[in-house]
Amino acid sequence: MTEGYKQQEYHGPVKRYCQTMDLKDNPELIERYCKAHSEQEFWPVIGEGIRSCGILEMEIYILGNRLFMIVETPIDFNWDEAMAKLSTLPRQQEWEDFVAVLQGCQAGQTSDEKWKMMDRMFHLY
């Protein structure tokens, strides 16, 4: 991609969380996962729920079967409280179960249980 990616601009500091997860190493399942996250097929109620928890922006990148997610939030965002709220929202667990068959995780897990938080070990400003 030569143009780069558009980024939201905020008039103040934000927090950034980075997480990773592996999909099942199966090209058909990986394609289904990508399709489930396309503009045409992503469930609007899930995006609304994510935003209602205070998340400003979310991106998922893929390489092979490895996913990398960036989440940007307000500076006063509390991850644990937001994930607890997210897990109770309508259709959220249905979505988690829907994508779990494509992910390298167990059915019934919440988003917070599936995605593993990464630690920043380098930055260049």
Side-chain angles (χ1 to χ4, degrees), residues 37-97:
H37 286 81
S38 69
E39 285 186 41
Q40 299 80 15
E41 299 216 8
F42 186 67
W43 300 3
V45 67
I46 300 305
E48 293 162 9
I50 289 167
R51 291 226 184 265
S52 78
C53 292
I55 291 172
L56 301 171
E57 190 167 348
M58 178 183 285
E59 298 175 287
I60 300 176
Y61 296 83
I62 187 167
L63 177 64
N65 71 320
R66 170 68 45 100
L67 299 175
F68 174 68
M69 181 165 61
I70 301 170
V71 177
E72 289 190 346
T73 69
I75 200 75
D76 61 350
F77 184 83
N78 182 303
W79 183 269
D80 293 333
E81 288 176 10
M83 292 302 105
K85 176 183 175 183
L86 182 65
S87 69
T88 66
L89 295 179
R91 302 200 68 199
Q92 184 65 37
Q93 194 56 52
E94 181 184 352
W95 170 259
E96 297 301 342
D97 293 342

Side-chain angles (χ1 to χ4, degrees), residues 13-44:
V14 296
K15 284 185 190 176
R16 178 177 288 161
Y17 297 89
C18 297
Q19 296 182 296
T20 190
M21 179 191 339
D22 290 336
L23 297 174
K24 292 180 179 173
D25 197 8
N26 176 312
E28 288 180 20
L29 298 180
I30 292 168
E31 185 177 332
R32 283 177 48 199
Y33 187 84
C34 292
K35 187 175 180 185
H37 286 81
S38 69
E39 285 186 41
Q40 299 80 15
E41 299 216 8
F42 186 67
W43 300 3

